[in-house]
Amino acid sequence: MSSFLYCRRFLLRSSSSSGSIDSSSISSFLLSRRRTLCSVSDTKTEDSKRKRPPLKSFTVQYLVNSCGLSLESAKSRSRFVKLSSSKRPDSVLALLNNNGFTFEQITRVVKSFPSILIVNPDAVLLPKLLFFRSIGLTSSDTAKLISNCPTTLSLSLQNRLIPCYDSLKSILVEKESILKCLRRGYWIFTLDTVKYLAARLSLCRDAGVKDRSIRRLVQNGPLVFFCSERKFNEVLTRVRSFGFDPKKMYFVHAMLVFFHVSESTVEHKFELYRQFGWSRDEFVAAFMRFPNCVKISDEKIKGTMEYLVNNAGLKASAVAMQPFVLGLSLEKRIKPRNMVISELLCKGFVKKEDLNYFQILKVKECVFVDKFVLKFQQISSLQPSP
């Protein structure tokens, strides 16, 4: 309105002085006035920008300075969350910090789930953290679980987290077993466990696997139990075709191994053991007693077998009957104990026919020391010097 009045006064003055108004005067006036208005508008816009930084710029700065993200990562994550102030995100970070999350864990959570910064911490996040505490997870356990799978905090407490826990409890029963399962399978809450459990239980029971063995599989191998249906059926078929008895606990042990080991790897391990004299039947027998014998590295297999056969004087067929020794440390268990027994044999304190070499390797360290070290140290100290 002020521009219109100013224009009218300008035209009246021009008319009274010259008697007429030419078009060039009008054009000159309008151009001058437009430049003035644009200049004022640009100045206001620049002042506004200086007073309030762009929303995206603030978000990126916050992700870098408060959450520990790299500049590149912060720019990428700023597409998924827009921060207008630090009030809400500061509250979220404080809640995580007060509940045992390290700065590195918080960084991982925000990087994977940036929208957590705009979630109501007291109404949404705190009840979930309290739930994890109520089922027996420590602050450290909870922080580890969530930092490994941050989207867990985006799940509904009533519709996902509690039903998931209840479904695990229906098969595992004991709280400690459930906690072991969760510590090994931090991503379990993201699954529809009710659906998975029903399908897997049906497959296992139809195959003749006992509930006790199924519980062991869920507890120790959630990655196997909750894998895709195609992979689960493949593993189940391979274990059955290999000859494992589904009524025995080693059936699920073999499932844990076959999930990670391909058929070609199993054949490669057989060829390696055959170099030391194992027959196909002995290899199968050893595998059924100690499925992990095919997960041991080639170097460890060669080193352990060579020592047991060449230094300890054991037959390769005997090792196949007691394959657990292949899982023992050569340097920390097998060699030291063999040296002690060799010394006792040399001094005549023990007779070879009275010794069970595999039992000697199997017993706990305190039992071995008490039975073969301290006992004969006392006997040796009582003997007169030559």
Side-chain angles (χ1 to χ4, degrees), residues 3-22 25 29:
S3 298
F4 174 77
L5 293 175
Y6 182 83
C7 180
R8 183 179 180 184
R9 285 196 296 270
F10 172 79
L11 293 176
L12 289 173
R13 284 199 302 271
S14 300
S15 175
S16 60
S17 60
S18 60
S20 64
I21 304 173
D22 58 52
S25 298
F29 167 76

Side-chain angles (χ1 to χ4, degrees), residues 143-375:
K144 186 175 181 180
L145 182 149
I146 292 173
S147 62
N148 282 321
C149 191
T151 52
T152 300
L153 286 177
S154 69
L155 302 173
S156 168
L157 177 61
Q158 299 297 328
N159 298 329
R160 174 55 65 86
L161 301 184
I162 293 177
C164 177
Y165 177 80
D166 289 342
S167 65
L168 291 175
K169 188 176 181 180
S170 70
I171 182 66
L172 295 175
V173 182
E174 297 180 2
K175 177 180 285 189
E176 190 55 39
S177 296
I178 301 172
L179 296 181
K180 286 181 180 178
C181 175
L182 292 175
R183 291 182 185 118
R184 290 183 173 96
Y186 52 82
W187 35 262
I188 285 179
F189 284 109
T190 65
L191 302 177
D192 185 354
T193 52
V194 176
K195 178 181 177 181
Y196 269 83
L197 272 174
R200 299 296 182 272
L201 287 174
S202 178
L203 286 171
C204 288
R205 286 168 177 164
D206 288 346
V209 183
K210 300 295 184 181
D211 280 4
R212 181 171 63 93
S213 297
I214 297 174
R215 284 194 291 270
R216 181 67 63 85
L217 180 60
V218 177
Q219 175 185 302
N220 296 338
L223 183 62
V224 179
F225 191 81
F226 292 105
C227 69
S228 68
E229 185 174 352
R230 180 193 62 78
K231 180 68 174 179
F232 189 83
N233 278 318
E234 176 189 317
V235 171
L236 196 63
T237 301
R238 284 179 62 195
V239 174
R240 294 176 68 182
S241 63
F242 210 87
F244 283 90
D245 185 351
K247 295 181 176 60
K248 301 291 181 63
M249 187 63 72
Y250 273 128
F251 187 89
V252 297
H253 292 173
M255 288 186 69
L256 295 174
V257 172
F258 272 130
F259 180 82
H260 297 284
V261 178
S262 66
E263 290 186 36
S264 61
T265 298
V266 173
E267 288 303 312
H268 169 73
K269 298 299 181 182
F270 166 60
E271 293 298 327
L272 191 59
Y273 285 115
R274 191 164 68 169
Q275 294 177 18
F276 294 93
W278 282 16
S279 66
R280 181 80 183 185
D281 289 342
E282 286 174 330
F283 171 71
V284 172
F287 181 53
M288 294 183 73
R289 290 186 176 91
F290 183 58
N292 279 338
C293 71
V294 297
K295 291 181 68 177
I296 301 171
S297 70
D298 291 4
E299 183 180 1
K300 186 176 184 337
I301 290 174
K302 290 177 181 178
T304 303
M305 288 296 292
E306 286 174 355
Y307 186 84
L308 291 174
V309 174
N310 299 330
N311 295 79
L314 298 175
K315 293 182 179 181
S317 58
V319 178
M321 296 298 292
Q322 300 287 345
F324 75 91
V325 296
L326 296 166
L328 302 177
S329 170
L330 181 60
E331 299 298 329
K332 296 180 180 179
R333 174 75 73 93
I334 299 175
K335 283 186 177 181
R337 293 193 182 186
N338 185 62
M339 291 171 65
V340 170
I341 297 303
S342 297
E343 184 71 16
L344 295 178
L345 286 169
C346 246
K347 292 183 177 180
F349 289 150
V350 295
K351 295 180 179 180
K352 192 171 184 178
E353 56 268 24
D354 295 333
L355 299 175
N356 184 328
Y357 193 82
F358 294 105
Q359 188 62 30
I360 290 171
L361 293 176
K362 191 174 186 178
V363 296
K364 294 181 179 180
E365 184 70 13
C366 58
V367 176
F368 176 81
V369 171
D370 183 58
K371 189 173 182 179
F372 294 103
V373 179
L374 298 179
K375 176 182 176 180

Side-chain angles (χ1 to χ4, degrees), residues 96 99-102 105-106 108-109 129 132 137-149:
L96 296 178
N99 280 272
F101 286 72
T102 65
Q105 289 173 325
I106 291 174
R108 288 165 61 184
V109 171
L129 295 177
F132 292 129
L137 289 172
T138 64
S139 297
S140 177
D141 288 333
T142 302
K144 186 175 181 180
L145 182 149
I146 292 173
S147 62
N148 282 321
C149 191

Side-chain angles (χ1 to χ4, degrees), residues 24-83:
S24 61
S25 298
I26 297 175
S27 299
S28 176
F29 167 76
L30 292 176
L31 180 60
S32 173
R33 189 59 182 167
R34 181 181 179 185
R35 287 173 180 169
T36 302
L37 292 174
C38 288
S39 177
V40 172
S41 176
D42 290 344
T43 302
K44 289 182 177 180
T45 301
E46 291 299 322
D47 289 342
S48 176
K49 287 182 178 180
R50 282 195 292 271
K51 290 179 182 178
R52 182 173 59 85
L55 197 61
K56 185 173 182 179
S57 175
F58 175 78
T59 301
V60 171
Q61 290 174 14
Y62 190 89
L63 292 174
V64 172
N65 298 331
S66 299
C67 304
L69 273 68
S70 67
L71 180 58
E72 183 180 354
S73 180
K75 288 180 178 179
S76 173
R77 269 59 184 182
S78 66
R79 294 179 300 164
F80 306 103
V81 60
K82 305 300 178 186
L83 305 178

